[in-house]
Amino acid sequence: MAAADVRPLPTAVPVAIIGAGFGGIAAAHELRRTGIDHILLERADRVGGTWRDNTYPGCACDIPSHLYSLSWAPNPNWSRRFAPAAEIDAYLAEVADREQLTDRLFTGVDVGSAHWSAETSTWRLETSRGRVDCRVLVVAAGGLSQPNIPDIPGLADFPGPVLHTAHWDAAVPLEGLRVGVVGTGASAIQLVPAIVDRVSALTVFQRTPAWIFPRDDRQIPRWRQRLYARWPVSQRIVREGQYWRRELVVHAMVSRLGLLERAAEQARRRLATEVRDRDLRSRLEPDYLPGCKRALLSDDFYRTVGRDRVQVVGALEQIVGRQAVTVDGDRHELDVLVLATGFEVLPPPMANRVFGLDGVSVAADWVDRGGAFLGMATAAAPNLFWLTGPNTGLGGNSMIVMIEAQARYLAQATAAALAGDPESPRVLAVSPVVQRRYTNWIEQRMAGTVWQLGGCNSWYLDENGRVAAIWPEQTWRYRRMTRTFRSVHYEQRTPCTDR
Ligand code: NAP
């Protein structure tokens, strides 16, 4: 654990960034490059975001590491094709240090709320360490940070330990115990093979099966690491290859759904080879198109659930004492319960704590307007830029690509907002017409995609059934659309007209 940060927070700054994971680090890097003073506010005691918080056994990234890293900070030393979480966490700490981003980092700062003041044209942040005013606010608090705790009757009275994958407690023993895992998403399929040898019995509560494809993870040999260090261009070539292969997959998800049927056929054949038990096989086979929910990568999940000590059962309906009761009424006695039940994504919790014009929360405003311009800006919240906001999540490529595009864009936008006389600050609010045109375009593009037509219920959908989390196109298009900040998309106001 890092030493507690006791430096006083500055009370007024040009730019405040909330969150110091990949998003906050990328934003701070671009602002620094542009010569804009800023601070980074982080509620934990160090940088790292999701890769600091997720420490469950088996946690790793399912996007290849060369691609799942910042383009301006390549790491020739990745140990594996898909680096484990701890290695990504260490990478982020090293990048923040090397880039001297930590000078402007304040840790242990929980931002309770942010309010736009039309009188002063500033954002006022109430934090656990005091008040901060800033001209431009960047929210990089991440979409996958608040664990989703399912509302299961009796859960609070379960007599054994209850863990969520995103709040793992390594001190809780699993050895020789009967462990239940709720969920079969990205986290569960990494966790289950990683703990199976430690437990006496493992019960996996599955509500919806996932499509699972081979991961083909392997170590990166020393000679390759040396090659990448010596000739960084060789690593860039590998990264480009990985990027464009994924763009082809996204193309299928966006407009060639027939190709997904073929991928499903391949996955079914693999399932048939790896899971001999006919009943188990039929329970593991999804009834929607691959990609509708995130398609998962694993080399060992199917083999693991075929083992004697593992059972895949129906969704968990209630807990009665030590017994977990499934929807079919079956009872399973457990010592430890693990919730691999994902996150509260729509809206992200911070969107309920940021209030723009007329005190309207960003979360409510996104719902009203059907999303945000480029996923980052909304008419009701001037001088605010949101990373990994509405319709910028990905199901098939590296989020770092989107984050970097957003960081470059917001640095340009921030430079425009801060240009001119500090006594008469500019207020940039995206034009409502531009925002509407953009959200209509998103809706049209989404209409033919697997996320809309794939036949599943996923966390990509909001409460109205709108696909609110995912970018409906290949990512090169987002990069192109965000390459240049265009002031014509924004209404530039002075404080007295800012209503
Ligand atoms: P998730 O994909 O949302 O999966 C949650 C699982 O819990 C699903 O199987 C879900 O079932 C089940 N579940 C949720 N609420 C439930 C309830 N009330 N009753 C029964 N089952 C319930 O969560 P996750 O696995 O933590 O992954 C979240 C996201 O994090 C991923 O989509 C991915 O973007 C990211 N992630 C990435 C990696 C990586 O390697 N890059 C690793 C882990 C996570 P249903 O399917 O029926 O809803």
Side-chain angles (χ1 to χ4, degrees):
M1 186 184 285
D5 185 354
V6 289
R7 292 168 303 157
L9 278 187
T11 51
V13 286
V15 186
I17 305 169
I18 304 176
F22 263 108
I25 288 175
H29 169 78
E30 289 300 332
L31 290 172
R32 207 169 73 105
R33 251 169 37 103
T34 315
I36 297 172
D37 189 19
H38 59 274
I39 57 170
L40 264 163
L41 304 175
E42 168 57 51
R43 74 178 163 184
D45 61 0
R46 59 186 179 83
V47 302
T50 195
W51 301 103
R52 173 199 61 226
D53 294 343
N54 280 268
T55 59
Y56 61 84
C59 184
C61 187
D62 61 7
I63 297 290
S65 305
H66 296 314
L67 184 55
Y68 196 84
S69 32
L70 295 154
S71 61
W72 45 267
N75 173 17
N77 300 319
W78 290 120
S79 67
R80 306 192 66 81
R81 192 154 173 251
F82 297 96
E87 205 173 318
I88 305 172
D89 183 28
Y91 162 79
L92 279 177
E94 201 243 293
V95 169
D97 231 28
R98 186 174 1 126
E99 291 283 307
Q100 295 169 357
L101 303 181
T102 38
D103 301 351
R104 307 301 290 150
L105 170 72
F106 293 84
T107 58
V109 183
D110 196 355
V111 177
S113 67
H115 286 265
W116 173 252
S117 161
E119 281 68 43
T120 58
S121 296
T122 52
W123 285 97
R124 171 153 289 183
L125 276 53
E126 299 293 346
T127 86
S128 56
R129 289 181 54 196
R131 182 175 283 178
V132 181
D133 289 339
C134 62
R135 298 259 311 275
V136 174
L137 178 61
V138 176
V139 179
L144 304 173
S145 60
Q146 180 70 33
N148 164 40
I149 308 296
D151 187 13
I152 295 170
L155 181 62
D157 300 322
F158 181 71
V162 178
L163 303 171
H164 188 283
T165 45
H167 283 173
W168 192 257
D169 181 355
V172 171
L174 304 178
E175 280 63 26
L177 298 177
R178 297 161 300 181
V179 176
V181 175
V182 186
T184 46
S187 302
I189 68 144
Q190 295 178 342
L191 173 80
V192 165
I195 61 171
V196 67
D197 287 324
R198 295 167 58 188
V199 305
S200 68
L202 191 52
T203 308
V204 180
F205 297 90
Q206 172 184 264
R207 188 164 67 180
T208 318
W211 284 110
I212 301 178
F213 294 88
R215 187 161 173 235
D216 198 16
D217 187 23
R218 47 193 123 92
Q219 241 181 336
I220 297 178
R222 253 328 271 147
W223 68 264
R224 264 185 180 260
Q225 294 172 337
R226 282 199 292 266
L227 178 77
Y228 297 146
R230 183 117 193 240
W231 284 290
V233 68
S234 60
Q235 193 175 17
R236 276 205 297 279
I237 291 168
V238 174
R239 179 185 166 104
E240 284 297 304
Q242 292 172 340
Y243 172 73
W244 287 105
R245 267 198 300 283
R246 266 156 191 77
E247 284 292 83
L248 287 177
V249 174
V250 177
H251 177 59
M253 293 172 165
V254 166
S255 52
R256 301 288 301 278
L257 305 196
L259 292 175
L260 300 177
E261 299 276 9
R262 277 200 241 163
E265 214 27 69
Q266 272 176 18
R268 261 186 223 110
R269 276 202 293 276
R270 175 165 177 253
L271 177 62
T273 322
E274 298 207 1
V275 178
R276 307 308 298 179
D277 181 296
R278 196 182 287 254
D279 173 52
L280 175 59
R281 202 158 66 215
S282 72
R283 273 181 286 136
L284 292 173
E285 188 179 322
D287 60 0
Y288 54 86
L289 276 181
C292 181
K293 279 173 181 294
R294 190 182 176 91
L296 307 181
L297 303 185
S298 175
D299 296 329
D300 48 10
F301 182 74
Y302 285 149
R303 245 180 294 135
T304 303
V305 293
R307 289 176 61 172
D308 288 344
R309 70 179 69 175
V310 184
Q311 283 188 81
V312 178
V313 301
L316 179 58
E317 189 155 85
Q318 63 166 319
I319 302 275
V320 181
R322 280 201 178 277
Q323 294 194 332
V325 186
T326 67
V327 279
D328 333 279
D330 295 340
R331 287 171 177 255
H332 303 271
E333 186 112 347
L334 302 174
D335 302 307
V336 179
L337 189 60
V338 178
L339 304 174
T341 45
F343 299 89
E344 286 181 22
V345 183
L346 293 170
M350 188 54 77
N352 280 314
R353 293 197 247 149
V354 177
F355 302 89
L357 294 174
D358 301 322
V360 174
S361 78
V362 166
D365 186 61
W366 286 345
V367 172
D368 270 6
R369 294 175 199 268
F373 178 58
L374 300 172
M376 287 185 269
T378 184
N383 288 7
L384 170 78
F385 299 95
W386 205 283
L387 278 100
T388 66
N391 290 110
T392 62
L394 299 181
N397 211 331
S398 171
M399 269 312 288
I400 310 307
V401 169
M402 301 297 273
I403 284 172
E404 284 194 39
Q406 293 175 342
R408 282 190 293 266
Y409 179 92
L410 72 86
Q412 293 175 49
T414 302
L418 298 181
D421 179 5
E423 295 306 313
S424 163
R426 278 158 93 178
V427 173
L428 283 186
V430 66
S431 143
V433 176
V434 169
Q435 189 170 352
R436 187 164 333 109
R437 212 182 306 135
Y438 174 83
T439 53
N440 287 345
W441 177 80
I442 290 274
E443 208 174 308
Q444 278 165 19
R445 290 302 307 150
M446 197 65 81
T449 67
V450 68
W451 303 292
Q452 193 79 66
L453 302 176
C456 75
N457 187 8
S458 75
W459 62 258
Y460 302 155
L461 305 172
D462 69 11
E463 57 191 24
N464 304 316
R466 198 180 74 79
V467 184
I470 290 282
W471 171 245
E473 266 282 359
Q474 289 174 296
T475 66
W476 63 262
R477 190 142 189 193
Y478 187 79
R479 292 162 75 184
R480 201 178 61 185
M481 287 168 79
T482 51
R483 186 164 298 145
T484 310
F485 166 77
R486 299 221 178 99
S487 57
V488 291
H489 290 154
Y490 288 77
E491 291 174 356
Q492 300 186 30
R493 306 173 193 162
T494 55
C496 52
T497 60
D498 177 26
R499 292 295 306 160

